[in-house]
Amino acid sequence: MKQEYIFIGPPGSGKGTQTKKLSEEYKLPHIDTGALLREEIASGSDEGKLADSFISKGNLVPLNLVANIIKNRLKKDDCQNGFILDGYPRSTEQALALDDILAEIDKDSDTKPIVFYFKIDEELLIERLVNRISCKDCGEIYNLKTMNIQGNKCPKCGGELIRRNDDTEEVAKKRFDTYFRETAPLIDLYQKRGWLTTLDASLEIETIYKNLKGAIKGNVHS
Ligand code: AP5
């Protein structure tokens, strides 16, 4: 059976950290809209320039730009057994667009995605974001405050460790505003559909991962 997971939560709640672990263990593609958009920016394309003008202000990039990126990605062969969507959808409009994309791609399947909501108090998040550092090559995510990271080389692959441009306190606050205004209503939407599972994202990384896998095994929506 196809495994379709959607991760929703505020900036810094640990979606990327958990997706990376699950994607490696379950051999499912990690579809991270933020990373795909940052690749587009790095390529210097017109879409990238447009995306940058929104990301640098902590706003969502336009609906159609992200929908096209997601649709093209979900059509690839490696998504046939499933995928993890990290950071999409982020608004009611995007959730409805995703319904259409999945109806087109999954027309012979009756799989319903499991939506994991990473629930956490906002005050814990700024500190996580301003201390985040990640590997330019393998994408591994670290935290300078809670992990013992020496120098600027990735402990996993030796790649360069970088900070994201939008991980300043000022932009992070704007990202939170955008999250509460645009994305938080999805919790209610998916709850009503019976697709939502809530995770306590304030716990230790390994505990959250254990809870995540437990919920997948039980296929519990709570
Ligand atoms: P994106 O890159 O997706 O950023 P985000 O959603 O704001 O989420 P983050 O990546 O900041 O946080 P995370 O929850 O993945 O946390 P992480 O695991 O890294 O999007 C960036 C921008 O792109 C958006 O603002 C928007 O402009 C645009 N965009 C993206 N998707 C879009 C869409 N669908 N539509 C329109 N625009 C879109 O962890 C954070 C830190 O905390 C790390 O240092 C980590 O080590 C640490 N940490 C993680 N878990 C724990 C834990 N349990 N305990 C302690 N520390 C932890």
Side-chain angles (χ1 to χ4, degrees):
M1 179 156 161
K2 202 165 175 183
Q3 300 183 78
E4 297 180 351
Y5 305 118
I6 296 174
F7 285 8
I8 290 177
S13 57
K15 304 179 296 294
T17 300
Q18 298 295 331
T19 315
K20 245 190 151 291
K21 290 168 80 65
L22 194 68
S23 151
E24 281 170 17
E25 186 175 341
Y26 283 40
K27 312 276 178 273
L28 288 172
H30 173 180
I31 303 177
D32 172 351
T33 38
L36 291 170
L37 290 165
R38 284 187 287 279
E39 276 170 25
E40 205 61 52
I41 294 170
S43 78
S45 69
D46 287 343
E47 283 84 1
K49 284 179 189 141
L50 179 65
D52 194 26
S53 67
F54 288 85
I55 292 177
S56 59
K57 296 188 186 77
N59 293 322
L60 297 184
V61 309
L63 183 72
N64 288 343
L65 176 54
V66 191
N68 286 338
I69 289 177
I70 289 292
K71 192 168 172 178
N72 291 336
R73 184 64 190 86
L74 290 179
K75 278 184 175 167
K76 292 199 172 158
D77 285 348
D78 66 340
C79 292
Q80 282 196 348
N81 293 328
F83 49 79
I84 310 168
L85 279 178
D86 167 11
Y88 187 88
R90 278 187 204 231
S91 66
T92 305
E93 276 180 312
Q94 289 190 4
L96 300 179
L98 178 63
D99 289 344
D100 292 342
I101 293 170
L102 293 180
E104 187 186 324
I105 291 171
D106 280 350
K107 45 184 177 300
D108 300 323
S109 139
D110 57 2
T111 303
K112 300 271 177 283
I114 301 182
V115 180
F116 286 101
Y117 163 41
F118 286 62
K119 189 175 182 192
I120 185 166
D121 286 340
E122 190 183 332
E123 53 267 27
L124 291 172
L125 298 176
I126 292 269
E127 191 161 279
R128 284 194 189 178
L129 290 176
V130 297
N131 285 298
R132 172 168 52 193
I133 196 152
S134 47
C135 177
K136 204 173 167 189
D137 296 339
C138 73
E140 193 67 23
I141 303 164
Y142 302 99
N143 190 288
L144 290 172
K145 184 124 189 226
T146 57
M147 301 172 186
N148 184 21
I149 307 296
Q150 305 292 335
N152 71 340
K153 295 273 175 257
C154 173
K156 197 171 168 190
C157 77
E160 186 191 350
L161 293 175
I162 50 166
R163 280 181 192 270
R164 278 171 42 176
N165 291 339
D166 60 348
D167 274 347
T168 61
E169 195 165 335
E170 189 194 351
V171 182
K173 283 184 177 153
K174 290 190 182 141
R175 286 160 63 199
F176 292 139
D177 291 344
T178 304
Y179 169 79
F180 287 111
R181 193 178 61 246
E182 306 273 356
T183 314
L186 293 183
I187 296 158
D188 197 37
L189 184 146
Y190 285 127
Q191 181 107 54
K192 284 187 178 139
R193 290 186 185 183
W195 295 6
L196 196 80
T197 293
T198 301
L199 294 171
D200 180 349
S202 66
L203 302 174
E204 301 262 330
I205 291 173
E206 289 308 324
T207 310
I208 299 168
Y209 190 53
K210 194 168 131 259
N211 293 343
L212 171 63
K213 288 202 296 179
I216 289 173
K217 283 199 188 100
N219 202 352
V220 186
H221 289 98
S222 60

